[in-house]
């Protein structure tokens, strides 16, 4: 599946999807309930989907979860976040997470934004 990837970001997303698919086959009930829960959490409410993706990206950066960083960077872009909004959210996260957060932001997040934007073209 990863051979079809056009860049490292897409490769990571495909790898995550493949792993999730394998897990779902082995644990369908658990996966279904988790999926239902996360879908509910990311619905528009008092906070928009866009705001929720920015929060999720911040948490992903703070917890140093590379797959979630990639996934939620894509989520931010899919929900219409500008690069400036993403970078501002990164700044807030770095205020709490320090250098570890900033190192992921200046490398992985910026690479994801660039690669995902290239895929749109």
């Amino acid at each position: 599946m990863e051979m079809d990837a056009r860049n490292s970001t897409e490769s990571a997303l495909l790898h995550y999807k493949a792993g999730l698919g394998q897990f779902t086959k082995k644990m369908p009930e658990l996966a279904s309930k988790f999926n239902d829960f996360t879908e509910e959490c990311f619905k528009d409410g008092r906070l928009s989907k866009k705001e929720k993706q920015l929060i999720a990206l911040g948490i992903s950066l703070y917890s140093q979860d590379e797959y979630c960083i990639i996934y939620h960077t894509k989520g931010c872009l899919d929900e219409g976040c500008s690069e400036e909004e993403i970078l501002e959210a990164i700044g807030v996260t770095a205020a709490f997470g320090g250098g570890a957060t900033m190192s992921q932001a200046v490398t992985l997040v910026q690479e994801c934004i660039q690669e995902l934007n290239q895929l749109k073209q």
Side-chain angles (χ1 to χ4, degrees):
M1 183 179 255
E2 287 186 60
M3 291 183 174
D4 297 328
R6 295 170 282 178
N7 58 43
S8 63
T9 298
E10 191 172 54
S11 177
L13 290 168
L14 290 172
H15 190 250
Y16 172 77
K17 280 186 168 184
L20 186 58
Q22 290 173 358
F23 181 83
T24 299
K25 285 179 186 175
K26 295 174 184 177
M27 300 293 295
E29 184 80 14
L30 190 145
S32 175
K33 290 180 188 289
F34 180 76
N35 188 47
D36 291 345
F37 173 70
T38 57
E39 282 182 15
E40 185 65 29
C41 290
F42 281 89
K43 284 183 180 176
D44 274 322
R46 296 281 184 202
L47 296 174
S48 68
K49 290 178 184 180
K50 179 179 175 178
E51 292 167 321
K52 290 177 180 187
Q53 285 294 336
L54 288 166
I55 292 167
L57 178 58
I59 293 167
S60 300
L61 284 161
Y62 187 80
S63 63
Q64 299 291 294
D65 184 333
E66 289 191 18
Y67 282 107
C68 284
I69 292 168
I70 293 166
Y71 185 85
H72 291 294
T73 298
K74 182 180 184 319
C76 286
L77 294 172
D78 289 348
E79 291 302 326
C81 291
S82 68
E83 184 173 4
E84 292 78 17
E85 289 171 315
I86 293 169
L87 296 178
E88 188 171 329
I90 286 167
V92 172
T93 307
F96 288 89
T101 296
M102 192 58 98
S103 69
Q104 292 285 19
V106 300
T107 56
L108 186 56
V109 173
Q110 291 187 118
E111 181 180 316
C112 288
I113 291 170
Q114 179 184 16
E115 289 184 351
L116 291 167
N117 283 333
Q118 285 174 350
L119 292 177
K120 291 180 183 176
Q121 298 172 358

